[in-house]
Amino acid sequence: REEKQLELTLEALISQVADLKNSLVSFIYKLENEYDRLTWPSVLDSFALLSGQLNTLNKVLKHEKTPLLRNQVIIPLVLSPDRDEEIMRQTEGRVPVFSHEVVPDHLRTKPDPEVEEQEKQLITDAARISPDVAQKQIQSLNKMCSNLLEKISKEERESESGGLRQNKQTFNPADTNALVAAVAFGKGLSNRRPPGSGGSVQSGQPGAGAIIAGTAGMQQVPMSGAPAQQQPMLAGVQMAQAGQPGKQVAGLR
């Protein structure tokens, strides 16, 4: 009866492990060949499937009708350095030979001595901590994780808002083009001259110190006593010839 129960348990375990292996192979294939179009929800679905299969496997192992496998001892009957085709078929090509080099790894029922020592040390350290201290450490760790998650969320929000500000247009292209055309080609500017630019300006009158007009309004007026020299007339302000009575030179302020 015990042997029959052991066989049934082994068959159930082999079936569960085969399903778990297929899921792992499928997930690894996605990571290696479909990483460019792999989405996070798809990854979470794969993890959920693996987690469910591991839980099912643990339930089979912890079932009350499952015999204690740790009490079963496996002894290799034949060790050979030669290639074994039957082992190759059962292991899907992973184990070509069943020799003294691979037996300790494949038939081991306990972890490595270094790992086992570290596990014992962790168990001892955990037993020394009182429940109150452990609860305080848990609360402190949860607080650190919450602060870290809050900072990450804040940086993500700032990054998104910064991207929106950069994409927002802060100028009018039509106004910019009109301004460039006006500065470079004078497009849209008025050709009217300021009033009073075409006549003489008397000293003391308003506007005597007005802006000087363009070079198009400049004229040459001969000065008395200096026939070879020319005196310009600026902004239509006529320079009176020296020696003429009753006329004064208009002053520019």
Side-chain angles (χ1 to χ4, degrees):
R1 182 179 177 181
E2 292 181 357
E3 293 180 357
K4 184 64 175 180
Q5 188 67 32
L6 181 60
E7 290 179 2
L8 295 176
T9 302
L10 290 177
E11 291 178 0
L13 291 176
I14 291 173
S15 177
Q16 295 295 331
V17 171
D19 294 339
L20 182 60
K21 186 200 70 173
N22 293 332
S23 300
L24 286 173
V25 170
S26 177
F27 184 48
I28 293 173
Y29 179 83
K30 289 181 180 180
L31 293 177
E32 292 180 349
N33 299 279
E34 301 178 2
Y35 58 89
D36 53 342
R37 58 181 182 273
L38 192 64
T39 60
W40 182 242
S42 177
V43 175
L44 292 179
D45 292 340
S46 298
F47 273 114
L49 178 60
L50 293 174
S51 178
Q53 290 176 345
L54 286 174
N55 290 332
T56 304
L57 183 62
N58 288 329
K59 289 180 180 179
V60 173
L61 291 174
K62 294 179 180 180
H63 196 270
E64 57 182 6
K65 294 184 178 180
T66 301
L68 293 177
L69 299 179
R70 68 181 62 184
N71 295 334
Q72 304 295 327
V73 180
I74 299 177
I75 300 176
L77 300 179
V78 178
L79 297 178
S80 174
D82 299 332
R83 183 184 180 92
D84 193 334
E85 297 297 335
E86 181 63 21
I87 293 180
M88 283 280 293
R89 185 185 63 81
Q90 292 181 357
T91 60
E92 298 181 354
R94 291 188 298 270
V95 182
V97 296
F98 200 66
S99 62
H100 65 282
E101 295 180 358
V102 301
V103 165
D105 295 329
H106 291 282
L107 299 184
R108 177 179 295 161
T109 58
K110 297 176 64 177
D112 292 336
E114 295 82 3
V115 177
E116 189 176 9
E117 187 65 27
Q118 293 178 2
E119 185 178 0
K120 290 181 179 179
Q121 185 65 32
L122 292 175
I123 294 174
T124 303
D125 295 340
R128 294 175 182 175
I129 300 176
S130 61
D132 295 338
V133 175
Q135 187 65 28
K136 290 181 180 179
Q137 291 181 357
I138 292 172
Q139 293 177 357
S140 177
L141 180 60
N142 291 335
K143 185 177 180 180
M144 292 174 60
C145 293
S146 300
N147 294 335
L148 182 60
L149 290 174
E150 184 178 356
K151 289 182 179 180
I152 294 174
S153 301
K154 183 178 179 181
E155 290 181 358
E156 289 180 352
R157 291 194 299 268
E158 292 178 353
S159 177
E160 292 178 357
S161 61
L164 294 176
R165 286 196 300 269
Q166 291 179 358
N167 295 330
K168 185 178 180 180
Q169 192 172 5
T170 59
F171 65 94
N172 190 349
D175 294 343
T176 303
N177 294 333
L179 180 60
V180 172
V183 173
F185 307 106
K187 183 179 180 180
L189 298 180
S190 176
N191 295 326
R192 293 183 302 173
R193 295 181 181 178
S197 61
S200 60
V201 181
Q202 299 295 331
S203 176
Q205 293 181 355
I211 300 175
I212 299 176
T215 56
M218 298 181 65
Q219 300 178 359
Q220 299 291 334
V221 179
M223 295 292 290
S224 62
Q229 297 180 357
Q230 302 292 335
Q231 183 69 19
M233 183 184 71
L234 303 178
V237 181
Q238 297 179 353
M239 303 297 293
Q241 294 182 358
Q244 293 183 358
K247 294 185 177 181
Q248 296 179 353
V249 179
L252 295 177
R253 297 180 180 177

